[in-house]
Amino acid sequence: MRATVIHAPLDIRVEEVPDAAVQRPEDAVVRVLRACICGSDLWAYRGEAKRQPGQRIGHEFLGIVEETGSAVSGLRAGDLVVAPFMWSDGTCDYCVEGLHTSCVHGGFWGSVGFDGGQGEAVRVPHADGTLVKLPAEAASDEHLLTGLLALSDVMGTGHHAALGAGVRKGSTVAVVGDGAVGLCGVLAAKRLGADRIIALGRHTARTDIAKLFGATDVVAERGEAAEAAVRELTGGQGAHAVIEAVGTEQSMRTAVNITRDGGAIGYVGVPHGSGTGLDLGVMFDRNITLRGGVAPVRAYIPELLTDVLNGTIDPAPVFDRTVALDEVPDGYRAMDDRSALKVMIKA
């Protein structure tokens, strides 16, 4: 089969690799219908996250179950399913508590020796605990299928950030980051009842999506100018809840400085850079709470799935470019130079 592999920084290729196959009784093989490129994939693409030459890449996909191992009981061939960005057994203490990202038998797609999501098919370990069935009719609805793909990562991650930030009905929320996760954070905040949502971003195409998703205000400045703008919009106090969806020192510093005393930051931006941007003394004095981390999206898919299916939320607009599998290297270049927000891969 064909799959995406990374050989070196800026060197993404689509190559022939061994077919995905059941290796353990708990496995399933999923034929990929839709996959996508994540902003976090760019850290490997740019050489900021190390990968072995020839390693698979990609962690967001949905598709059709083609084969199941003898121990798989909840799925069968022909089922339409979505995969969260990590596999998990669904039964360990962490999974039972809703923290599937800490599953004792879990792992990331594209890890050494495992299939990545950007290919024709994927071997799924612990299929019963990992995969979520979707309505069969969704396979013929192009727009709905696109929205459902967002459940594999960005919608659940935005929701995790909103929960970490303590978004509640009537609250004022600020979102740092105009990537797909930040935009889904806007959508999640709106879903949770935020009264005012301030989106920080400089790219009109992205802030237009933020407005579509429920942003009431847009701040295009950065750094201290952005902090001043948010303070002005909030009567000098800052936001009750701040979503940090970038992961740099500057973005975290901005998040702290625009949080209202007694407020909270939900952080989901993958940390990278020389420092954290955190001053614990400032956070202590102002009673600012910090919650977040790797989003256990498997725990969130069922409730978010219901809202996508009934039209309450529609994350599909975060995908602004579609490529075929052979065009994946072009998709990486487009996201790297920011000419694309989030690239979907259509099998």
Side-chain angles (χ1 to χ4, degrees), residues 61-242:
F61 64 94
L62 58 75
I64 303 292
V65 175
E66 295 229 307
E67 183 183 359
T68 60
S70 60
V72 177
S73 60
L75 300 163
R76 62 182 181 180
D79 284 342
L80 178 66
V81 293
V82 63
F85 64 78
M86 289 184 66
W87 69 82
S88 54
D89 62 21
T91 59
C92 77
D93 288 347
Y94 291 112
C95 288
V96 171
E97 294 167 5
L99 193 62
H100 297 73
T101 47
S102 291
C103 176
V104 296
H105 298 119
F108 287 92
W109 311 112
S111 299
V112 176
F114 292 90
D115 294 332
Q118 297 166 12
E120 292 184 312
V122 178
R123 176 178 80 88
V124 178
H126 298 286
D128 274 332
T130 301
L131 299 172
V132 178
K133 283 199 288 188
L134 304 173
E137 58 270 22
S140 59
D141 186 329
E142 187 69 34
H143 186 85
L144 177 59
L145 206 61
T146 302
L148 294 171
L149 177 59
L151 297 178
S152 64
D153 186 345
V154 291
M155 188 63 232
T157 298
H159 178 66
H160 186 58
L163 293 179
V167 176
R168 61 190 183 280
K169 188 173 182 180
S171 58
T172 294
V173 181
V175 180
V176 182
D178 61 0
V181 170
L183 294 174
C184 286
V186 171
L187 188 57
K190 180 67 173 179
R191 175 180 177 271
L192 291 172
D195 184 56
R196 190 174 194 181
I197 303 171
I198 304 167
L200 280 68
R202 297 180 296 165
H203 305 273
T204 303
R206 300 182 180 206
T207 54
D208 284 348
I209 297 174
K211 293 176 183 176
L212 175 67
F213 283 178
T216 55
D217 304 272
V218 170
V219 169
E221 292 85 357
R222 298 184 70 181
E224 293 182 358
E227 296 165 13
V230 173
R231 291 279 174 181
E232 183 176 354
L233 287 169
T234 56
Q237 293 186 341
H240 300 102
V242 175

Side-chain angles (χ1 to χ4, degrees), residues 2-64:
R2 293 177 302 151
T4 305
V5 298
I6 183 167
H7 284 271
L10 307 182
D11 187 0
I12 292 281
R13 309 177 197 176
V14 178
E15 298 180 339
E16 291 291 327
V17 301
D19 288 340
V22 169
Q23 297 180 14
R24 296 179 58 85
E26 303 85 6
D27 290 351
V29 172
V30 173
R31 174 171 54 87
V32 176
L33 296 180
R34 300 289 184 276
C36 51
I37 302 170
C38 183
S40 62
D41 292 329
L42 296 180
W43 303 122
Y45 180 70
R46 295 165 179 161
E48 297 181 45
K50 291 186 178 180
R51 295 291 187 272
Q52 292 186 7
Q55 189 173 338
R56 307 288 182 82
I57 195 167
H59 55 262
E60 302 159 283
F61 64 94
L62 58 75
I64 303 292

